[in-house]
């Protein structure tokens, strides 16, 4: 039996800020999820989200975080612009659908809870600086 695997691609902006020199920024989390197995690939990036999502997908097909190397039969994303970028970046090699993916929010909630728990264990930042976590 051939498995009709669908992977969910997503991008979310973290609510935490990352300090880089005197500037801070809010990084993007990129995810590829297999609804049956969980997170196939994840990366945190500063810029060029669209290109990074395509590159992360290609990497995940060769070296997934879970399961054997494989390519899904379809891709699902929540954003039409991301769908267009993926279609172009993958040369229309796979169907890319746009729809609702509640699993992404569940994964992000778990990640946020983990980050907040880790942040509570960190020493206080030096006087005159701050650690920012929480919703935007």
């Amino acid at each position: 039996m051939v498995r009709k695997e669908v992977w969910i691609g997503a991008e979310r902006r973290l609510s935490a800020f990352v300090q880089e020199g005197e500037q801070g920024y809010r990084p993007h989390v990129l995810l590829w999820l297999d609804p049956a197995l969980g997170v196939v690939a994840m990366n945190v990036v500063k810029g060029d989200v669209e290109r990074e999502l395509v590159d992360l997908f290609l990497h995940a097909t060769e070296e997934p975080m879970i399961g054997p190397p494989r390519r899904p039969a379809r891709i699902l994303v929540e954003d039409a612009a991301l769908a267009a970028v993926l279609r172009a970046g993958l040369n229309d090699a796979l169907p890319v659908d746009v729809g609702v993916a509640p699993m992404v929010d569940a994964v992000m909630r778990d990640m946020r809870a983990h980050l907040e728990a880790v942040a509570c264990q960190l020493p206080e930042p030096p006087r005159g600086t701050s650690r920012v976590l929480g919703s935007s």
Side-chain angles (χ1 to χ4, degrees):
M1 182 171 132
V2 176
R3 190 169 170 207
K4 299 291 184 187
E5 189 172 41
V6 175
W7 283 7
I8 301 167
E11 174 273 331
R12 293 288 192 276
R13 199 133 201 204
L14 281 179
S15 57
F17 283 81
V18 172
Q19 192 72 32
E20 193 170 79
E22 292 186 18
Q23 298 293 317
Y25 66 93
R26 287 180 50 212
H28 299 264
V29 175
L30 306 179
L31 297 170
W32 283 103
L33 306 170
D34 175 340
L37 299 175
V39 177
V40 177
M42 180 178 70
N43 199 4
V44 178
V45 299
K46 180 178 179 179
D48 200 1
V49 170
E50 293 82 9
R51 182 72 240 161
E52 292 282 347
L53 192 62
V54 173
D55 290 346
L56 185 61
F57 172 81
L58 295 171
H59 177 76
T61 62
E62 296 173 2
E63 296 181 40
M65 291 171 66
I66 191 166
R70 63 207 182 278
R71 216 174 172 137
R74 305 184 78 73
I75 292 173
L76 173 68
V77 294
E78 296 177 310
D79 181 79
L82 276 183
V85 167
L86 285 163
R87 287 183 192 112
L90 300 173
N91 297 315
D92 290 316
L94 292 171
V96 180
D97 301 321
V98 178
V100 178
M103 183 180 184
V104 173
D105 291 330
V107 168
M108 289 304 298
R109 271 192 307 276
D110 290 348
M111 182 185 305
R112 190 173 299 112
H114 174 74
L115 289 173
E116 288 173 355
V118 168
C120 289
Q121 297 173 12
L122 295 175
E124 284 299 313
R127 183 179 292 258
T129 63
S130 63
R131 179 183 327 132
V132 180
L133 282 175
S135 58
S136 53

